[in-house]
Amino acid sequence: MKVVVVGKGGREHALAQKLKESSSVTDLWVCPGNPGMSLTGLQCADVETTEEIERFCLQNAVNLVVVGPEASILSDLKQRLQSQGISCFAPSAKVAALESSKLFCKGILKDAGVPTAACLVGYSEKEALQFIQQHDFTQPLVVKADGLAQGKGVWVCESLAKAREAVQVLGSQYGFPLLLEECLVGKELSAFALCDGKDFVLLGTACDYKRITPDPFSANTGGMGAYSPCDFITPEDEKTLREFFAKTLACLHSKNLSYQGFLFAGLMKTSEGLFVLEYNVRLGDPETQALLPRLKTDLAQLIVAAVTHNLQNQVCELKPEVSVHVVAVSEGYPQGPLNTGHPVAIQSRVLQQLYYAGVCEKQNALVNSGGRVLGVTALGSSKEQARVLAYQDIHKVSFKGMYVREDIGL
Ligand SMILES: Nc1ncnc2c1ncn2[C@@H]1O[C@H](COP(=O)(O)OP(=O)(O)O)[C@@H](O)[C@H]1O
Ligand SMILES: [Mg+2]
């Protein structure tokens, strides 16, 4: 089977690496990938637009396309490929509203009977301001933009003044409606399912680190590291997670919206149990780099089962080891300007799995070109052991201005 992975980040590197392990995969390309992936033995093809990817797949008789980033999921790529008879593992752009509209997502969660924060919807500034006026602020209020906002559309507001500001800023930047949500208190985790339209397998759980430093009020990033599995859920919680996914898929199915693709639940474990904060219609970055190396089951076979609606009797087995993934970022990340263009030096004997993201080639050398540059995943018999191994290796990497958080997996 000939496979294409669409994307160019660390998540796609981990996906491609895992798919390459499958005996059923004869050829594999990452489109467009990055030159760091090529160094680790993956083939990259310099095609990026939907037209280019379609043409590449036809020219190379590609059988299966696995899509990483949400932008490609929301594009017409799947439709194009399907009309050419090429399987594309990704949700349809329509059902991807689960991520691109928080209001749509809330509606599905409510209809499915999946616990989620109580929420009011302000369709205009006036209405939103009226609602926040009624909140007593003994608990914070969460103000959320409806659409995609690249991690900048959610404000947790401790005071009426802050909530007013949130309504004004988010309203003018992203428009209305805004969601005004009850603030949940607890620990966050991510759970990942692989879905065939009706059935699913639970891939596993992970926890990521969103802030640039250990200070919980420091800047929000795409993710500075992760570990897998989540270490504070019980077997009972895992059963609940499966029920959440099952109910959500059944609800979508009943609305003629069958969901095929990876499904990522952002959850909060509170004193009252698990709540879904949001769904994303793709795998997480960097959670994928922590999760996939733990997969024992052949990922390509699971995806083939999914695109042929045959997941019903499949299971996903994970290695007993725990993983820790640590990301190295460029100076200036996340606010910018980024200090880029510096050679990425790697001492020999990096023993763990290295995943490349924001790198490019300059005068035959690999240089940093983005915010998140690369990451290392280590497996260990405990989180502590995995952590030691991951940090040993990330410190063999250096480029001018390189920064890593030192507390991943603590
Ligand atoms: N109802 C809530 N209660 C408490 N914290 C929340 C709530 N909703 C969101 N958050 C916090 O805001 C973050 C971002 O919210 P999320 O819904 O995941 O939006 P996005 O990922 O699109 O920015 C969450 O990871 C969580 O830390
Ligand atoms: Mg989120």
Side-chain angles (χ1 to χ4, degrees):
M1 177 168 63
K2 297 185 175 191
V3 179
V4 155
V5 173
V6 174
K8 58 183 171 187
R11 167 182 54 201
E12 289 77 23
H13 192 164
L15 257 173
Q17 202 80 50
K18 198 71 205 174
L19 289 168
K20 208 183 146 190
E21 284 174 17
S22 171
S23 56
S24 61
V25 176
T26 53
D27 299 88
L28 183 134
W29 297 270
V30 192
C31 298
N34 67 55
M37 295 181 188
S38 312
L39 281 183
T40 64
L42 290 170
Q43 284 191 87
C44 297
D46 188 19
V47 290
E48 199 156 8
T49 67
T50 52
E51 292 89 340
E52 286 169 351
I53 295 170
E54 179 187 3
R55 201 174 321 123
F56 179 86
C57 290
L58 286 172
Q59 278 165 358
N60 293 282
V62 167
N63 310 97
L64 171 70
V65 174
V66 181
V67 184
E70 55 274 34
S72 301
I73 291 169
L74 291 168
S75 75
D76 62 349
L77 180 64
K78 185 181 170 103
Q79 229 176 345
R80 274 175 182 273
L81 293 170
Q82 279 185 326
S83 67
Q84 299 288 0
I86 301 166
S87 296
C88 179
F89 185 60
S92 66
K94 202 170 164 200
V95 74
L98 215 47
E99 175 167 354
S100 60
S101 167
K102 292 202 185 294
L103 190 57
F104 176 77
C105 183
K106 271 284 174 211
I108 296 295
L109 287 168
K110 278 196 193 137
D111 289 353
V114 173
T116 183
C119 152
L120 292 170
V121 185
Y123 284 93
S124 66
E125 179 163 330
K126 192 173 160 215
E127 197 179 19
L129 288 172
Q130 263 170 9
F131 286 145
I132 61 173
Q133 210 77 38
Q134 288 157 18
H135 188 75
D136 66 6
F137 289 94
T138 50
Q139 293 294 322
L141 184 70
V142 185
V143 182
K144 292 188 176 185
D146 175 46
L148 293 176
Q150 294 185 314
K152 297 193 168 70
V154 176
W155 289 33
V156 179
C157 305
E158 311 269 349
S159 67
L160 180 62
K162 193 79 192 166
R164 273 211 194 100
E165 190 190 340
V167 167
Q168 261 132 25
V169 172
L170 293 176
S172 67
Q173 272 175 4
Y174 305 105
F176 290 83
L178 294 178
L179 283 74
L180 309 165
E181 262 187 40
E182 158 201 26
C183 187
L184 300 172
V185 181
K187 285 180 160 182
E188 284 187 56
L189 68 140
S190 306
F192 298 91
L194 190 154
C195 313
D196 75 354
K198 223 166 146 233
D199 295 303
F200 71 98
V201 293
L202 183 67
L203 292 175
T205 59
C207 293
D208 75 335
Y209 293 70
K210 276 270 176 282
R211 304 288 164 173
I212 186 77
T213 72
D215 174 0
F217 297 104
S218 63
N220 209 17
T221 72
M224 297 296 291
Y227 68 87
S228 173
C230 166
D231 63 357
F232 53 83
I233 57 164
T234 62
E236 194 58 32
D237 288 332
E238 197 175 305
K239 221 175 109 198
T240 305
L241 283 179
R242 287 178 199 275
E243 280 167 16
F244 287 0
F245 282 120
K247 285 178 175 176
T248 303
L249 292 182
C251 177
L252 287 168
H253 198 71
S254 74
K255 296 177 193 290
N256 274 328
L257 289 167
S258 74
Y259 190 98
Q260 186 187 90
F262 294 111
L263 184 56
F264 162 172
L267 301 131
M268 182 89 88
K269 184 173 174 173
T270 74
S271 56
E272 282 159 50
L274 289 168
F275 287 74
V276 173
L277 290 177
E278 64 162 351
Y279 278 121
N280 293 312
V281 296
R282 52 183 166 83
L283 288 176
D285 189 335
E287 294 94 328
T288 303
Q289 296 91 304
L291 178 65
L292 289 188
R294 297 182 51 239
L295 215 65
K296 247 204 267 183
T297 306
D298 183 321
L299 181 62
Q301 277 176 22
L302 282 181
I303 293 178
V304 167
V307 294
T308 53
H309 308 284
N310 270 319
L311 267 185
Q312 207 169 5
N313 299 316
Q314 301 279 340
V315 286
C316 174
E317 263 194 288
L318 292 169
K319 296 173 188 168
E321 283 100 332
V322 175
S323 68
V324 169
H325 177 74
V326 182
V327 177
V329 302
S330 295
E331 188 179 2
Y333 182 73
Q335 301 92 335
L338 299 177
N339 185 1
T340 57
H342 303 294
V344 177
I346 297 173
Q347 287 176 30
S348 56
R349 292 184 296 110
V350 167
L351 299 174
Q352 312 301 326
Q353 186 66 58
L354 198 55
Y355 297 118
Y356 285 97
V359 291
C360 70
E361 222 162 13
K362 194 170 98 183
Q363 290 156 359
N364 285 326
L366 198 69
V367 300
N368 66 322
S369 62
R372 290 188 290 171
V373 177
L374 53 79
V376 167
T377 300
L379 298 187
S381 56
S382 67
K383 201 165 72 171
E384 290 65 36
Q385 194 195 27
R387 199 184 117 71
V388 168
L389 294 172
Y391 276 101
Q392 263 171 17
D393 271 1
I394 200 81
H395 289 306
K396 292 177 186 165
V397 177
S398 62
F399 53 89
K400 193 172 172 213
M402 170 174 142
Y403 168 74
V404 297
R405 250 181 89 156
E406 294 292 339
D407 64 326
I408 308 300
L410 266 188

